[in-house]
Amino acid sequence: MAQKIFLKDLRDYVGQEIMMEGWMFNKRGAGKIYFLELRDGSGIVQGIVFVKAVSPEVFKIAEELTMESSVRVTGEITKHPKNEDEYELQVKNIEVIQLVKEDYPIAKKEHGPDFLLQNRHLWLRSPTQRAIQVVRNTIINAIYEYLNTNGYIKIDSPILTPNACEGTTELFEIDYFEEGKAYLAQSGQLYIEAAIFSVGRCFDFGPVFRAEKSKTRRHLTEFWMMDAEAAFVEHEENMQIQEGLVEFVVEKVLEKNLKELAILERDIEPLKKIKAPFIHKTHTEVVKELREMGSEIQENQDLGAADETMLTMKYDKPIFVEKYPAEVKAFYMKRTLDDKFALCADLLAPEGYGEVIGGSQREDDYGVLLGRIKEHKLSVEDFDWYLDLRKYGSVPHSGFGIGLERLTGWICGRQHIRETIPFPRTIGRIKP
Ligand code: 4AD
Ligand code: MG
């Protein structure tokens, strides 16, 4: 029996007989020769079936093999006669694991987004969708690596929660036995704030939920967030940590995923410019700049999607928009001394992408935070545990949350973030 290999390792087996297991995603040829495009998840190879090199039975299998059929193929790996770093499989035997009997729904022709989303379970197999998932995996691992080497440990925050983190209008509500209502977490931030008093610096990374009625290319109702939090870190240092992290993540993708970025036709020149320090501007400065560019944004308003696009097209580095008017930001944010602005920053990705990170220094004074909770008409009873953190050894602390799909969408250069999550959930879609 020939040794089973993964197609990503082809170059190590030139001249040897091997076995691969996978799927046939395309076929060309007729008469005396067939070219089978084979993939195994880790890579692809062209299998050449020459009538004189195989038994009549095997040649017949090649003739009849249909798209996406699963196969076990043996043969010798050879170097491509022309292309550098490309290899071919001179097929000796094909064993069919399952022969596909119907036409594969996703053909080579262009399909509309709706059709592709309905067939997401199959669409995931396409080279572009596979490439996005491979890059997403690199990003996830790079985030873990950066945070772990910078003294953060992972603390898993709960998904079922009694209270809101990011405002009460976007909550998925469920009945929780005798306890009444519970909600799906919008962010694990409040919980990892509790954990920094145990471990100093920590992060969570998991699915979060927003019952937002936004139908934009940047909104999902379920998405993955990494919240990071650190004790004794204030506003400025909080941004430095984010710069280091984003720079590291982009570096890792450029190191590991050039093939995938090429499949995605992602221009990598803009990514090479992602080096700290990034651009820093206050909300006040940004409003002035945007108004000069024709936006109607007001001093006391959050940036709209169009504002973010306009601003980020102008610069080739990510932009921190700092110190938003306090009234448009969350209750937990510490404010500037004059009480007017939040000590926060949103990080906007360049090339028109917009917000990928939201973060801030947290209010650490018991009385002030209690006042905020009341101002925001939140239940003091629900937040008593969060207030406790300001009673027992309160310290200045800061953190931020990255939307994994937004970050992946930017790095992969995708228009809509729904392509970056394996099974997107949006207002109108819960299947597959
Ligand atoms: O800005 P947000 O709402 O901040 C928080 O939730 C904080 N508690 C995070 C923290 O400080 N630990 O969300 C953080 C990020 C956004 O910058 C964006 O990238 C992403 O999460 N995000 C979404 N991604 C996809 N779909 C949505 N509906 C999103 N809403 C936010
Ligand atoms: Mg935000």
Side-chain angles (χ1 to χ4, degrees):
M1 198 53 180
Q3 186 190 350
K4 178 181 162 176
I5 67 151
F6 292 106
L7 296 178
K8 66 178 171 56
D9 303 324
L10 281 178
R11 73 168 66 78
D12 303 335
Y13 295 93
V14 176
Q16 295 182 43
E17 183 155 319
I18 61 93
M19 184 266 277
M20 62 78 58
E21 292 171 318
W23 300 265
M24 189 199 76
F25 66 95
N26 207 3
K27 183 166 84 173
R28 292 179 297 119
K32 293 195 166 82
I33 194 161
Y34 281 99
F35 300 96
L36 312 181
E37 301 287 341
L38 301 166
R39 56 177 187 86
D40 73 348
S42 81
I44 59 173
V45 71
Q46 171 160 268
I48 301 171
V49 192
F50 184 50
V51 68
K52 286 192 180 155
V54 297
S55 69
E57 293 76 32
V58 169
F59 197 73
K60 188 158 182 284
I61 290 176
E63 254 171 359
E64 290 171 359
L65 206 56
T66 45
M67 227 176 127
E68 290 301 312
S69 288
S70 42
V71 288
R72 190 171 290 124
V73 182
T74 53
E76 188 190 324
I77 303 294
T78 55
K79 271 193 129 134
H80 191 282
K82 291 195 202 110
N83 302 354
E84 194 57 34
D85 203 30
E86 217 179 284
Y87 306 89
E88 295 178 320
L89 177 59
Q90 309 296 331
V91 175
K92 297 228 164 81
N93 191 41
I94 307 171
E95 193 186 318
V96 177
I97 299 167
Q98 194 231 345
L99 186 71
V100 173
K101 300 214 174 78
E102 295 169 41
D103 282 344
Y104 187 60
I106 300 185
K108 283 246 137 181
K109 69 174 171 89
E110 285 278 315
H111 293 287
D114 225 42
F115 177 86
L116 290 170
L117 286 164
Q118 272 159 24
N119 288 284
R120 182 61 172 168
H121 53 299
L122 303 177
W123 185 28
L124 271 180
R125 303 179 188 192
S126 78
T128 50
Q129 298 307 308
R130 175 187 177 278
I132 294 170
Q133 291 311 312
V134 171
V135 174
R136 177 180 165 116
N137 176 65
T138 302
I139 294 173
I140 294 169
N141 283 316
I143 292 174
Y144 273 85
E145 188 181 338
Y146 181 86
L147 291 171
N148 280 151
T149 51
N150 282 283
Y152 287 75
I153 76 157
K154 183 153 183 270
I155 291 280
D156 299 317
S157 54
I159 286 174
L160 294 172
T161 61
N163 44 250
C165 177
E166 295 299 319
T168 48
T169 54
E170 298 171 355
L171 286 168
F172 281 108
E173 196 178 274
I174 53 171
D175 292 320
Y176 199 80
F177 309 106
E178 305 291 298
E179 297 293 311
K181 299 289 179 205
Y183 308 95
L184 300 183
Q186 299 162 308
S187 157
Q189 177 199 322
L190 307 186
Y191 291 94
I192 63 166
E193 275 188 63
I196 60 168
F197 294 87
S198 162
V199 299
R201 293 182 174 207
C202 62
F203 67 104
D204 65 12
F205 205 152
V208 292
F209 306 86
R210 307 259 168 124
E212 250 171 311
K213 293 258 162 33
S214 310
K215 274 192 185 170
T216 78
R217 60 182 183 84
R218 309 192 304 169
H219 286 93
L220 297 165
T221 53
E222 175 179 316
F223 63 98
W224 280 61
M225 172 120 72
M226 189 288 293
D227 295 284
E229 197 71 26
F232 305 104
V233 165
E234 300 190 33
H235 175 62
E236 293 294 331
E237 192 183 354
N238 193 33
M239 291 187 292
Q240 284 165 16
I241 295 166
Q242 294 168 54
E243 280 172 337
L245 173 56
V246 171
E247 178 182 293
F248 183 78
V249 166
V250 172
E251 247 168 46
K252 279 285 163 187
V253 172
L254 288 173
E255 179 190 317
K256 290 176 180 285
N257 298 136
L258 288 181
K259 262 189 184 166
E260 285 73 23
L261 294 173
I263 290 170
L264 296 168
E265 296 176 10
R266 173 63 159 117
D267 180 4
I268 60 170
E269 292 311 313
L271 294 179
K272 288 184 186 161
K273 294 182 189 149
I274 307 305
K275 298 279 174 218
F278 298 163
I279 297 164
H280 294 250
K281 291 172 184 287
T282 64
H283 179 272
T284 309
E285 288 165 343
V286 163
V287 167
K288 190 160 169 279
E289 192 171 336
L290 281 168
R291 290 188 64 87
E292 281 163 13
M293 292 165 80
S295 167
E296 312 222 304
I297 187 173
Q298 304 293 317
E299 284 286 329
N300 58 350
Q301 280 176 352
D302 205 349
L303 270 63
D307 293 321
E308 288 188 6
T309 306
M310 195 153 50
L311 188 70
T312 59
M313 293 293 265
K314 215 174 136 184
Y315 301 95
D316 56 11
K317 281 199 189 194
I319 306 166
F320 282 105
V321 182
E322 296 180 40
K323 300 181 182 155
Y324 281 66
E327 66 267 24
V328 303
K329 285 294 183 187
F331 75 95
Y332 53 70
M333 291 184 180
K334 194 175 177 70
R335 294 183 180 176
T336 51
L337 284 177
D338 60 10
D339 218 30
K340 278 192 185 146
F341 302 99
L343 277 173
C344 69
D346 281 0
L347 182 64
L348 314 187
E351 300 171 83
Y353 279 92
E355 183 188 341
V356 290
I357 303 184
S360 76
Q361 187 166 338
R362 319 307 189 186
E363 182 50 67
D364 50 40
D365 180 84
Y366 182 91
V368 176
L369 184 62
L370 179 63
R372 292 279 155 68
I373 288 173
K374 288 179 179 162
E375 267 168 45
H376 280 79
K377 305 212 163 37
L378 296 166
S379 145
V380 175
E381 196 192 338
D382 284 348
F383 284 97
D384 55 4
W385 66 273
Y386 187 63
L387 282 160
D388 270 355
L389 308 176
R390 279 73 181 165
K391 261 195 213 162
Y392 306 108
S394 190
V395 294
H397 63 284
S398 304
F400 58 94
I402 296 185
L404 177 60
E405 290 73 20
R406 297 253 186 109
L407 188 64
T408 308
W410 161 52
I411 292 176
C412 288
R414 305 317 278 182
Q415 252 299 311
H416 204 302
I417 64 165
R418 66 191 169 199
E419 272 186 74
T420 65
I421 188 163
F423 293 96
R425 270 81 183 92
T426 49
I427 307 175
R429 190 175 302 282
I430 188 92
K431 193 187 160 197

PDB file of all heavy atoms in Angstrom, residues 24 60 123 125 132 137 155 179 198 220 302 320 369 376 389 393 413:
ATOM      1  N   MET A  24     -12.871  15.001  -6.372  1.00  0.00           N
ATOM      2  CA  MET A  24     -12.536  15.500  -7.693  1.00  0.00           C
ATOM      3  C   MET A  24     -13.403  16.725  -7.975  1.00  0.00           C
ATOM      4  O   MET A  24     -14.625  16.618  -7.998  1.00  0.00           O
ATOM      5  CB  MET A  24     -12.801  14.436  -8.755  1.00  0.00           C
ATOM      6  CG  MET A  24     -12.239  14.889 -10.087  1.00  0.00           C
ATOM      7  SD  MET A  24     -12.939  14.025 -11.467  1.00  0.00           S
ATOM      8  CE  MET A  24     -14.539  14.787 -11.592  1.00  0.00           C
ATOM      9  N   LYS A  60     -11.887   3.470 -17.035  1.00  0.00           N
ATOM     10  CA  LYS A  60     -13.351   3.617 -17.113  1.00  0.00           C
ATOM     11  C   LYS A  60     -13.855   4.458 -15.920  1.00  0.00           C
ATOM     12  O   LYS A  60     -14.741   5.308 -16.061  1.00  0.00           O
ATOM     13  CB  LYS A  60     -14.005   2.235 -17.113  1.00  0.00           C
ATOM     14  CG  LYS A  60     -15.485   2.257 -17.389  1.00  0.00           C
ATOM     15  CD  LYS A  60     -15.970   0.906 -17.911  1.00  0.00           C
ATOM     16  CE  LYS A  60     -17.458   0.913 -18.257  1.00  0.00           C
ATOM     17  NZ  LYS A  60     -18.316   0.870 -17.074  1.00  0.00           N
ATOM     18  N   TRP A 123     -20.954  25.728  -0.793  1.00  0.00           N
ATOM     19  CA  TRP A 123     -20.149  26.862  -1.252  1.00  0.00           C
ATOM     20  C   TRP A 123     -18.802  26.906  -0.526  1.00  0.00           C
ATOM     21  O   TRP A 123     -17.775  27.294  -1.080  1.00  0.00           O
ATOM     22  CB  TRP A 123     -20.954  28.155  -1.022  1.00  0.00           C
ATOM     23  CG  TRP A 123     -20.331  29.401  -1.553  1.00  0.00           C
ATOM     24  CD1 TRP A 123     -19.476  29.526  -2.605  1.00  0.00           C
ATOM     25  CD2 TRP A 123     -20.534  30.739  -1.054  1.00  0.00           C
ATOM     26  NE1 TRP A 123     -19.148  30.852  -2.798  1.00  0.00           N
ATOM     27  CE2 TRP A 123     -19.786  31.610  -1.860  1.00  0.00           C
ATOM     28  CE3 TRP A 123     -21.303  31.273  -0.004  1.00  0.00           C
ATOM     29  CZ2 TRP A 123     -19.750  32.990  -1.651  1.00  0.00           C
ATOM     30  CZ3 TRP A 123     -21.280  32.636   0.206  1.00  0.00           C
ATOM     31  CH2 TRP A 123     -20.517  33.487  -0.609  1.00  0.00           C
ATOM     32  N   ARG A 125     -16.791  24.769  -0.012  1.00  0.00           N
ATOM     33  CA  ARG A 125     -15.750  23.975  -0.687  1.00  0.00           C
ATOM     34  C   ARG A 125     -15.013  24.745  -1.776  1.00  0.00           C
ATOM     35  O   ARG A 125     -13.988  24.276  -2.264  1.00  0.00           O
ATOM     36  CB  ARG A 125     -16.393  22.760  -1.374  1.00  0.00           C
ATOM     37  CG  ARG A 125     -17.163  21.874  -0.449  1.00  0.00           C
ATOM     38  CD  ARG A 125     -17.760  20.728  -1.262  1.00  0.00           C
ATOM     39  NE  ARG A 125     -18.668  19.938  -0.444  1.00  0.00           N
ATOM     40  CZ  ARG A 125     -19.160  18.759  -0.801  1.00  0.00           C
ATOM     41  NH1 ARG A 125     -18.827  18.238  -1.970  1.00  0.00           N
ATOM     42  NH2 ARG A 125     -19.970  18.105  -0.005  1.00  0.00           N
ATOM     43  N   ILE A 132     -10.606  31.950   2.490  1.00  0.00           N
ATOM     44  CA  ILE A 132     -11.022  32.854   3.574  1.00  0.00           C
ATOM     45  C   ILE A 132     -10.943  32.135   4.920  1.00  0.00           C
ATOM     46  O   ILE A 132     -10.451  32.683   5.908  1.00  0.00           O
ATOM     47  CB  ILE A 132     -12.451  33.383   3.333  1.00  0.00           C
ATOM     48  CG1 ILE A 132     -12.497  34.277   2.089  1.00  0.00           C
ATOM     49  CG2 ILE A 132     -12.952  34.162   4.555  1.00  0.00           C
ATOM     50  CD1 ILE A 132     -13.901  34.648   1.627  1.00  0.00           C
ATOM     51  N   ASN A 137      -8.357  31.263  10.162  1.00  0.00           N
ATOM     52  CA  ASN A 137      -7.658  30.409  11.113  1.00  0.00           C
ATOM     53  C   ASN A 137      -6.300  31.007  11.504  1.00  0.00           C
ATOM     54  O   ASN A 137      -5.916  30.993  12.677  1.00  0.00           O
ATOM     55  CB  ASN A 137      -7.491  29.017  10.487  1.00  0.00           C
ATOM     56  CG  ASN A 137      -6.690  28.077  11.355  1.00  0.00           C
ATOM     57  OD1 ASN A 137      -7.115  27.719  12.445  1.00  0.00           O
ATOM     58  ND2 ASN A 137      -5.508  27.692  10.892  1.00  0.00           N
ATOM     59  N   ILE A 155      -9.642  33.596  29.337  1.00  0.00           N
ATOM     60  CA  ILE A 155     -10.694  33.377  30.329  1.00  0.00           C
ATOM     61  C   ILE A 155     -12.000  33.303  29.539  1.00  0.00           C
ATOM     62  O   ILE A 155     -12.339  34.237  28.817  1.00  0.00           O
ATOM     63  CB  ILE A 155     -10.752  34.568  31.323  1.00  0.00           C
ATOM     64  CG1 ILE A 155      -9.519  34.603  32.235  1.00  0.00           C
ATOM     65  CG2 ILE A 155     -12.044  34.553  32.122  1.00  0.00           C
ATOM     66  CD1 ILE A 155      -9.525  33.646  33.410  1.00  0.00           C
ATOM     67  N   GLU A 179     -35.737  31.847  36.893  1.00  0.00           N
ATOM     68  CA  GLU A 179     -35.001  33.105  37.034  1.00  0.00           C
ATOM     69  C   GLU A 179     -35.547  34.223  36.156  1.00  0.00           C
ATOM     70  O   GLU A 179     -35.119  35.364  36.255  1.00  0.00           O
ATOM     71  CB  GLU A 179     -33.524  32.900  36.685  1.00  0.00           C
ATOM     72  CG  GLU A 179     -32.780  31.947  37.594  1.00  0.00           C
ATOM     73  CD  GLU A 179     -32.637  32.498  38.999  1.00  0.00           C
ATOM     74  OE1 GLU A 179     -32.225  33.653  39.127  1.00  0.00           O
ATOM     75  OE2 GLU A 179     -32.967  31.769  39.954  1.00  0.00           O
ATOM     76  N   SER A 198      -8.132  38.734  39.074  1.00  0.00           N
ATOM     77  CA  SER A 198      -7.542  37.437  39.410  1.00  0.00           C
ATOM     78  C   SER A 198      -6.246  37.191  38.652  1.00  0.00           C
ATOM     79  O   SER A 198      -5.262  36.736  39.225  1.00  0.00           O
ATOM     80  CB  SER A 198      -8.561  36.335  39.062  1.00  0.00           C
ATOM     81  OG  SER A 198      -7.950  35.077  38.976  1.00  0.00           O
ATOM     82  N   LEU A 220     -23.625  41.146  11.367  1.00  0.00           N
ATOM     83  CA  LEU A 220     -24.134  39.785  11.529  1.00  0.00           C
ATOM     84  C   LEU A 220     -24.892  39.769  12.849  1.00  0.00           C
ATOM     85  O   LEU A 220     -24.634  40.604  13.727  1.00  0.00           O
ATOM     86  CB  LEU A 220     -22.972  38.794  11.601  1.00  0.00           C
ATOM     87  CG  LEU A 220     -22.092  38.683  10.351  1.00  0.00           C
ATOM     88  CD1 LEU A 220     -20.801  37.964  10.679  1.00  0.00           C
ATOM     89  CD2 LEU A 220     -22.849  37.975   9.237  1.00  0.00           C
ATOM     90  N   ASP A 302     -22.200  59.757  16.463  1.00  0.00           N
ATOM     91  CA  ASP A 302     -21.324  58.642  16.137  1.00  0.00           C
ATOM     92  C   ASP A 302     -21.030  58.707  14.636  1.00  0.00           C
ATOM     93  O   ASP A 302     -21.812  59.275  13.883  1.00  0.00           O
ATOM     94  CB  ASP A 302     -22.069  57.340  16.465  1.00  0.00           C
ATOM     95  CG  ASP A 302     -21.110  56.199  16.743  1.00  0.00           C
ATOM     96  OD1 ASP A 302     -19.902  56.353  16.474  1.00  0.00           O
ATOM     97  OD2 ASP A 302     -21.570  55.157  17.238  1.00  0.00           O
ATOM     98  N   PHE A 320      -7.141  55.366  14.655  1.00  0.00           N
ATOM     99  CA  PHE A 320      -7.873  55.366  15.924  1.00  0.00           C
ATOM    100  C   PHE A 320      -8.689  56.651  15.990  1.00  0.00           C
ATOM    101  O   PHE A 320      -8.114  57.744  15.940  1.00  0.00           O
ATOM    102  CB  PHE A 320      -6.914  55.378  17.116  1.00  0.00           C
ATOM    103  CG  PHE A 320      -6.311  54.037  17.422  1.00  0.00           C
ATOM    104  CD1 PHE A 320      -4.990  53.760  17.093  1.00  0.00           C
ATOM    105  CD2 PHE A 320      -7.061  53.058  18.062  1.00  0.00           C
ATOM    106  CE1 PHE A 320      -4.425  52.537  17.390  1.00  0.00           C
ATOM    107  CE2 PHE A 320      -6.501  51.821  18.356  1.00  0.00           C
ATOM    108  CZ  PHE A 320      -5.183  51.565  18.018  1.00  0.00           C
ATOM    109  N   LEU A 369     -19.669  55.115  38.558  1.00  0.00           N
ATOM    110  CA  LEU A 369     -20.249  54.028  37.759  1.00  0.00           C
ATOM    111  C   LEU A 369     -21.715  53.785  38.146  1.00  0.00           C
ATOM    112  O   LEU A 369     -22.573  53.592  37.276  1.00  0.00           O
ATOM    113  CB  LEU A 369     -19.431  52.743  37.945  1.00  0.00           C
ATOM    114  CG  LEU A 369     -19.871  51.570  37.084  1.00  0.00           C
ATOM    115  CD1 LEU A 369     -19.720  51.876  35.593  1.00  0.00           C
ATOM    116  CD2 LEU A 369     -19.063  50.305  37.419  1.00  0.00           C
ATOM    117  N   HIS A 376     -28.258  55.427  32.500  1.00  0.00           N
ATOM    118  CA  HIS A 376     -28.595  54.598  31.336  1.00  0.00           C
ATOM    119  C   HIS A 376     -29.821  53.733  31.585  1.00  0.00           C
ATOM    120  O   HIS A 376     -30.140  52.864  30.787  1.00  0.00           O
ATOM    121  CB  HIS A 376     -27.396  53.705  30.951  1.00  0.00           C
ATOM    122  CG  HIS A 376     -26.356  54.429  30.148  1.00  0.00           C
ATOM    123  ND1 HIS A 376     -25.427  55.265  30.705  1.00  0.00           N
ATOM    124  CD2 HIS A 376     -26.120  54.458  28.809  1.00  0.00           C
ATOM    125  CE1 HIS A 376     -24.645  55.771  29.754  1.00  0.00           C
ATOM    126  NE2 HIS A 376     -25.057  55.286  28.599  1.00  0.00           N
ATOM    127  N   LEU A 389     -16.638  45.139  41.739  1.00  0.00           N
ATOM    128  CA  LEU A 389     -15.251  45.214  41.269  1.00  0.00           C
ATOM    129  C   LEU A 389     -14.639  46.571  41.586  1.00  0.00           C
ATOM    130  O   LEU A 389     -13.426  46.715  41.655  1.00  0.00           O
ATOM    131  CB  LEU A 389     -15.168  44.948  39.757  1.00  0.00           C
ATOM    132  CG  LEU A 389     -15.860  43.672  39.247  1.00  0.00           C
ATOM    133  CD1 LEU A 389     -15.788  43.592  37.728  1.00  0.00           C
ATOM    134  CD2 LEU A 389     -15.220  42.435  39.877  1.00  0.00           C
ATOM    135  N   GLY A 393     -10.531  46.770  45.771  1.00  0.00           N
ATOM    136  CA  GLY A 393      -9.245  46.895  45.066  1.00  0.00           C
ATOM    137  C   GLY A 393      -9.382  47.401  43.646  1.00  0.00           C
ATOM    138  O   GLY A 393      -8.706  46.915  42.728  1.00  0.00           O
ATOM    139  N   GLY A 413      -9.934  41.296   2.003  1.00  0.00           N
ATOM    140  CA  GLY A 413     -10.450  42.190   0.969  1.00  0.00           C
ATOM    141  C   GLY A 413     -11.833  41.797   0.463  1.00  0.00           C
ATOM    142  O   GLY A 413     -12.116  41.907  -0.723  1.00  0.00           O
TER     143      GLY A 413
END
